[in-house]
Amino acid sequence: MTLTIDLHQHAIPDFYWQASNEDGNAAGGINPPRWSLDGAIAYLDEANIDIAVPSISTPGVHFGDDTAARELARQCNEYLANLKHDRPDRFGAFGVLPLPDIDGSLEQIEYALDVLQLDGLTLFTNAGGIYLGDKRFDSIFAELQRRAAVVFVHPNASPDPTAHTLGLPDTLLDYPVDTSRAIAKLHYSNTLARTPDVKYIFVHAGGTIPYLA
């Protein structure tokens, strides 16, 4: 039997919505419908998707305070773990890290994978303006390599204010461009070469990076 698995589905529990939209502006410039478990399952049924692997979407869990980010990451990961535990027939889960907080992220890698038994981890193309592949994240990638982890890479808004001067929603143009920036940085820093056992998933068709078979 062949299963249809959706690796790019976002869970937006109420507590995360409140924490990530305090200024009233939805991430990416588009207001998603309010998320619910029943609604998510109804969508899976309608789209003939057997299993989804939900993740937390942009802008992640870090809004300037390390302690608050660690608490929100743990709360999100426990929520996702409960989804997987309660409906293993329909859901897996990718955990989220409180980057750019290195110590908090290393702690959450262990908790998410060893304790909660999540299927992988979500990283965003940049965290507080620091792109994946930056040497400041070397210890994170070393741990991901040690675990041969699955890493789901989701775009984030560009930290460059000039990227927003067109007045377009980030989802329209800059998400694929920011994915490309992250992939380029991962290549040029040799991070990808140093993590051959990490299974990367670059969403939105890999940004503007062409796929070479």
PDB file of all heavy atoms in Angstrom, residues 78-99:
ATOM      1  N   GLU A  78       5.728  19.833  22.845  1.00  0.00           N
ATOM      2  CA  GLU A  78       4.851  18.937  23.596  1.00  0.00           C
ATOM      3  C   GLU A  78       3.473  18.858  22.946  1.00  0.00           C
ATOM      4  O   GLU A  78       2.853  17.783  22.913  1.00  0.00           O
ATOM      5  CB  GLU A  78       4.761  19.402  25.043  1.00  0.00           C
ATOM      6  CG  GLU A  78       6.064  19.180  25.818  1.00  0.00           C
ATOM      7  CD  GLU A  78       6.041  19.746  27.221  1.00  0.00           C
ATOM      8  OE1 GLU A  78       5.127  20.554  27.519  1.00  0.00           O
ATOM      9  OE2 GLU A  78       6.943  19.401  28.015  1.00  0.00           O
ATOM     10  N   TYR A  79       2.996  19.960  22.419  1.00  0.00           N
ATOM     11  CA  TYR A  79       1.715  19.962  21.719  1.00  0.00           C
ATOM     12  C   TYR A  79       1.783  19.060  20.484  1.00  0.00           C
ATOM     13  O   TYR A  79       0.891  18.235  20.235  1.00  0.00           O
ATOM     14  CB  TYR A  79       1.341  21.385  21.318  1.00  0.00           C
ATOM     15  CG  TYR A  79      -0.006  21.515  20.662  1.00  0.00           C
ATOM     16  CD1 TYR A  79      -1.146  21.748  21.415  1.00  0.00           C
ATOM     17  CD2 TYR A  79      -0.137  21.406  19.279  1.00  0.00           C
ATOM     18  CE1 TYR A  79      -2.396  21.854  20.816  1.00  0.00           C
ATOM     19  CE2 TYR A  79      -1.373  21.511  18.672  1.00  0.00           C
ATOM     20  CZ  TYR A  79      -2.502  21.743  19.445  1.00  0.00           C
ATOM     21  OH  TYR A  79      -3.728  21.847  18.843  1.00  0.00           O
ATOM     22  N   LEU A  80       2.868  19.216  19.709  1.00  0.00           N
ATOM     23  CA  LEU A  80       3.038  18.397  18.513  1.00  0.00           C
ATOM     24  C   LEU A  80       3.181  16.917  18.873  1.00  0.00           C
ATOM     25  O   LEU A  80       2.655  16.040  18.171  1.00  0.00           O
ATOM     26  CB  LEU A  80       4.255  18.877  17.735  1.00  0.00           C
ATOM     27  CG  LEU A  80       4.120  20.260  17.095  1.00  0.00           C
ATOM     28  CD1 LEU A  80       5.485  20.761  16.617  1.00  0.00           C
ATOM     29  CD2 LEU A  80       3.131  20.241  15.946  1.00  0.00           C
ATOM     30  N   ALA A  81       3.898  16.642  19.970  1.00  0.00           N
ATOM     31  CA  ALA A  81       4.056  15.260  20.407  1.00  0.00           C
ATOM     32  C   ALA A  81       2.712  14.649  20.794  1.00  0.00           C
ATOM     33  O   ALA A  81       2.450  13.460  20.530  1.00  0.00           O
ATOM     34  CB  ALA A  81       5.029  15.189  21.579  1.00  0.00           C
ATOM     35  N   ASN A  82       1.856  15.447  21.409  1.00  0.00           N
ATOM     36  CA  ASN A  82       0.529  14.946  21.774  1.00  0.00           C
ATOM     37  C   ASN A  82      -0.312  14.634  20.537  1.00  0.00           C
ATOM     38  O   ASN A  82      -1.068  13.656  20.529  1.00  0.00           O
ATOM     39  CB  ASN A  82      -0.192  15.963  22.658  1.00  0.00           C
ATOM     40  CG  ASN A  82       0.359  15.997  24.071  1.00  0.00           C
ATOM     41  OD1 ASN A  82       0.907  15.007  24.546  1.00  0.00           O
ATOM     42  ND2 ASN A  82       0.217  17.135  24.742  1.00  0.00           N
ATOM     43  N   LEU A  83      -0.170  15.473  19.489  1.00  0.00           N
ATOM     44  CA  LEU A  83      -0.871  15.184  18.243  1.00  0.00           C
ATOM     45  C   LEU A  83      -0.449  13.822  17.706  1.00  0.00           C
ATOM     46  O   LEU A  83      -1.280  12.995  17.316  1.00  0.00           O
ATOM     47  CB  LEU A  83      -0.549  16.249  17.189  1.00  0.00           C
ATOM     48  CG  LEU A  83      -1.296  17.575  17.207  1.00  0.00           C
ATOM     49  CD1 LEU A  83      -0.819  18.422  16.030  1.00  0.00           C
ATOM     50  CD2 LEU A  83      -2.792  17.370  17.135  1.00  0.00           C
ATOM     51  N   LYS A  84       0.868  13.612  17.675  1.00  0.00           N
ATOM     52  CA  LYS A  84       1.396  12.353  17.154  1.00  0.00           C
ATOM     53  C   LYS A  84       0.979  11.172  18.027  1.00  0.00           C
ATOM     54  O   LYS A  84       0.633  10.096  17.514  1.00  0.00           O
ATOM     55  CB  LYS A  84       2.919  12.449  17.071  1.00  0.00           C
ATOM     56  CG  LYS A  84       3.591  11.196  16.545  1.00  0.00           C
ATOM     57  CD  LYS A  84       5.103  11.347  16.508  1.00  0.00           C
ATOM     58  CE  LYS A  84       5.749  10.040  16.036  1.00  0.00           C
ATOM     59  NZ  LYS A  84       7.212  10.136  15.997  1.00  0.00           N
ATOM     60  N   HIS A  85       0.989  11.373  19.331  1.00  0.00           N
ATOM     61  CA  HIS A  85       0.629  10.303  20.256  1.00  0.00           C
ATOM     62  C   HIS A  85      -0.851   9.960  20.169  1.00  0.00           C
ATOM     63  O   HIS A  85      -1.235   8.783  20.172  1.00  0.00           O
ATOM     64  CB  HIS A  85       0.990  10.714  21.681  1.00  0.00           C
ATOM     65  CG  HIS A  85       0.621   9.694  22.717  1.00  0.00           C
ATOM     66  ND1 HIS A  85      -0.599   9.709  23.372  1.00  0.00           N
ATOM     67  CD2 HIS A  85       1.301   8.625  23.208  1.00  0.00           C
ATOM     68  CE1 HIS A  85      -0.647   8.698  24.210  1.00  0.00           C
ATOM     69  NE2 HIS A  85       0.486   8.022  24.141  1.00  0.00           N
ATOM     70  N   ASP A  86      -1.689  10.994  20.085  1.00  0.00           N
ATOM     71  CA  ASP A  86      -3.135  10.766  20.098  1.00  0.00           C
ATOM     72  C   ASP A  86      -3.655  10.225  18.769  1.00  0.00           C
ATOM     73  O   ASP A  86      -4.617   9.452  18.748  1.00  0.00           O
ATOM     74  CB  ASP A  86      -3.866  12.068  20.435  1.00  0.00           C
ATOM     75  CG  ASP A  86      -3.617  12.514  21.872  1.00  0.00           C
ATOM     76  OD1 ASP A  86      -3.156  11.677  22.672  1.00  0.00           O
ATOM     77  OD2 ASP A  86      -3.862  13.697  22.170  1.00  0.00           O
ATOM     78  N   ARG A  87      -3.030  10.654  17.653  1.00  0.00           N
ATOM     79  CA  ARG A  87      -3.489  10.200  16.337  1.00  0.00           C
ATOM     80  C   ARG A  87      -2.297   9.731  15.506  1.00  0.00           C
ATOM     81  O   ARG A  87      -1.978  10.324  14.461  1.00  0.00           O
ATOM     82  CB  ARG A  87      -4.234  11.330  15.618  1.00  0.00           C
ATOM     83  CG  ARG A  87      -5.575  11.694  16.229  1.00  0.00           C
ATOM     84  CD  ARG A  87      -6.574  10.527  16.235  1.00  0.00           C
ATOM     85  NE  ARG A  87      -6.764   9.907  14.937  1.00  0.00           N
ATOM     86  CZ  ARG A  87      -7.737  10.261  14.078  1.00  0.00           C
ATOM     87  NH1 ARG A  87      -8.597  11.219  14.403  1.00  0.00           N
ATOM     88  NH2 ARG A  87      -7.858   9.635  12.922  1.00  0.00           N
ATOM     89  N   PRO A  88      -1.634   8.675  15.921  1.00  0.00           N
ATOM     90  CA  PRO A  88      -0.476   8.189  15.166  1.00  0.00           C
ATOM     91  C   PRO A  88      -0.847   7.700  13.774  1.00  0.00           C
ATOM     92  O   PRO A  88       0.030   7.550  12.918  1.00  0.00           O
ATOM     93  CB  PRO A  88       0.055   7.051  16.035  1.00  0.00           C
ATOM     94  CG  PRO A  88      -1.134   6.579  16.825  1.00  0.00           C
ATOM     95  CD  PRO A  88      -1.929   7.821  17.092  1.00  0.00           C
ATOM     96  N   ASP A  89      -2.144   7.456  13.554  1.00  0.00           N
ATOM     97  CA  ASP A  89      -2.604   7.030  12.230  1.00  0.00           C
ATOM     98  C   ASP A  89      -2.640   8.176  11.233  1.00  0.00           C
ATOM     99  O   ASP A  89      -2.664   7.955  10.015  1.00  0.00           O
ATOM    100  CB  ASP A  89      -4.001   6.425  12.342  1.00  0.00           C
ATOM    101  CG  ASP A  89      -5.006   7.388  12.947  1.00  0.00           C
ATOM    102  OD1 ASP A  89      -4.641   8.120  13.902  1.00  0.00           O
ATOM    103  OD2 ASP A  89      -6.163   7.415  12.471  1.00  0.00           O
ATOM    104  N   ARG A  90      -2.619   9.438  11.735  1.00  0.00           N
ATOM    105  CA  ARG A  90      -2.741  10.592  10.834  1.00  0.00           C
ATOM    106  C   ARG A  90      -1.604  11.588  10.952  1.00  0.00           C
ATOM    107  O   ARG A  90      -1.420  12.413  10.042  1.00  0.00           O
ATOM    108  CB  ARG A  90      -4.069  11.347  11.093  1.00  0.00           C
ATOM    109  CG  ARG A  90      -5.309  10.537  10.988  1.00  0.00           C
ATOM    110  CD  ARG A  90      -5.424   9.705   9.710  1.00  0.00           C
ATOM    111  NE  ARG A  90      -5.404  10.471   8.475  1.00  0.00           N
ATOM    112  CZ  ARG A  90      -6.490  10.937   7.851  1.00  0.00           C
ATOM    113  NH1 ARG A  90      -7.687  10.733   8.389  1.00  0.00           N
ATOM    114  NH2 ARG A  90      -6.397  11.573   6.707  1.00  0.00           N
ATOM    115  N   PHE A  91      -0.844  11.556  12.068  1.00  0.00           N
ATOM    116  CA  PHE A  91       0.150  12.609  12.270  1.00  0.00           C
ATOM    117  C   PHE A  91       1.501  12.078  12.735  1.00  0.00           C
ATOM    118  O   PHE A  91       1.583  11.166  13.556  1.00  0.00           O
ATOM    119  CB  PHE A  91      -0.333  13.623  13.319  1.00  0.00           C
ATOM    120  CG  PHE A  91      -1.529  14.422  12.906  1.00  0.00           C
ATOM    121  CD1 PHE A  91      -2.755  14.210  13.503  1.00  0.00           C
ATOM    122  CD2 PHE A  91      -1.419  15.382  11.921  1.00  0.00           C
ATOM    123  CE1 PHE A  91      -3.870  14.935  13.122  1.00  0.00           C
ATOM    124  CE2 PHE A  91      -2.537  16.122  11.523  1.00  0.00           C
ATOM    125  CZ  PHE A  91      -3.759  15.897  12.132  1.00  0.00           C
ATOM    126  N   GLY A  92       2.562  12.679  12.178  1.00  0.00           N
ATOM    127  CA  GLY A  92       3.892  12.659  12.765  1.00  0.00           C
ATOM    128  C   GLY A  92       4.105  14.045  13.366  1.00  0.00           C
ATOM    129  O   GLY A  92       3.136  14.751  13.672  1.00  0.00           O
ATOM    130  N   ALA A  93       5.376  14.489  13.501  1.00  0.00           N
ATOM    131  CA  ALA A  93       5.624  15.840  13.998  1.00  0.00           C
ATOM    132  C   ALA A  93       7.095  16.207  13.850  1.00  0.00           C
ATOM    133  O   ALA A  93       7.978  15.385  14.108  1.00  0.00           O
ATOM    134  CB  ALA A  93       5.209  15.971  15.465  1.00  0.00           C
ATOM    135  N   PHE A  94       7.333  17.463  13.440  1.00  0.00           N
ATOM    136  CA  PHE A  94       8.664  18.052  13.439  1.00  0.00           C
ATOM    137  C   PHE A  94       8.743  19.062  14.578  1.00  0.00           C
ATOM    138  O   PHE A  94       7.909  19.968  14.664  1.00  0.00           O
ATOM    139  CB  PHE A  94       8.953  18.783  12.119  1.00  0.00           C
ATOM    140  CG  PHE A  94       9.125  17.878  10.929  1.00  0.00           C
ATOM    141  CD1 PHE A  94       8.547  18.218   9.709  1.00  0.00           C
ATOM    142  CD2 PHE A  94       9.876  16.717  11.008  1.00  0.00           C
ATOM    143  CE1 PHE A  94       8.718  17.400   8.586  1.00  0.00           C
ATOM    144  CE2 PHE A  94      10.051  15.892   9.898  1.00  0.00           C
ATOM    145  CZ  PHE A  94       9.471  16.234   8.690  1.00  0.00           C
ATOM    146  N   GLY A  95       9.748  18.917  15.438  1.00  0.00           N
ATOM    147  CA  GLY A  95       9.918  19.848  16.548  1.00  0.00           C
ATOM    148  C   GLY A  95      10.509  21.171  16.093  1.00  0.00           C
ATOM    149  O   GLY A  95      11.018  21.300  14.971  1.00  0.00           O
ATOM    150  N   VAL A  96      10.449  22.156  16.977  1.00  0.00           N
ATOM    151  CA  VAL A  96      10.979  23.487  16.679  1.00  0.00           C
ATOM    152  C   VAL A  96      12.051  23.833  17.708  1.00  0.00           C
ATOM    153  O   VAL A  96      11.976  23.407  18.871  1.00  0.00           O
ATOM    154  CB  VAL A  96       9.847  24.540  16.667  1.00  0.00           C
ATOM    155  CG1 VAL A  96       9.217  24.706  18.060  1.00  0.00           C
ATOM    156  CG2 VAL A  96      10.331  25.877  16.125  1.00  0.00           C
ATOM    157  N   LEU A  97      13.054  24.611  17.289  1.00  0.00           N
ATOM    158  CA  LEU A  97      14.153  25.019  18.162  1.00  0.00           C
ATOM    159  C   LEU A  97      14.099  26.521  18.413  1.00  0.00           C
ATOM    160  O   LEU A  97      13.672  27.285  17.539  1.00  0.00           O
ATOM    161  CB  LEU A  97      15.505  24.671  17.526  1.00  0.00           C
ATOM    162  CG  LEU A  97      15.749  23.212  17.139  1.00  0.00           C
ATOM    163  CD1 LEU A  97      17.139  23.059  16.538  1.00  0.00           C
ATOM    164  CD2 LEU A  97      15.556  22.306  18.335  1.00  0.00           C
ATOM    165  N   PRO A  98      14.583  26.967  19.581  1.00  0.00           N
ATOM    166  CA  PRO A  98      14.564  28.400  19.886  1.00  0.00           C
ATOM    167  C   PRO A  98      15.799  29.144  19.379  1.00  0.00           C
ATOM    168  O   PRO A  98      16.381  29.978  20.085  1.00  0.00           O
ATOM    169  CB  PRO A  98      14.488  28.424  21.415  1.00  0.00           C
ATOM    170  CG  PRO A  98      15.261  27.213  21.830  1.00  0.00           C
ATOM    171  CD  PRO A  98      14.955  26.166  20.777  1.00  0.00           C
ATOM    172  N   LEU A  99      16.244  28.840  18.164  1.00  0.00           N
ATOM    173  CA  LEU A  99      17.364  29.578  17.591  1.00  0.00           C
ATOM    174  C   LEU A  99      17.000  31.053  17.445  1.00  0.00           C
ATOM    175  O   LEU A  99      15.841  31.379  17.196  1.00  0.00           O
ATOM    176  CB  LEU A  99      17.715  29.001  16.214  1.00  0.00           C
ATOM    177  CG  LEU A  99      18.467  27.671  16.215  1.00  0.00           C
ATOM    178  CD1 LEU A  99      18.636  27.172  14.774  1.00  0.00           C
ATOM    179  CD2 LEU A  99      19.823  27.789  16.890  1.00  0.00           C
TER     180      LEU A  99
END
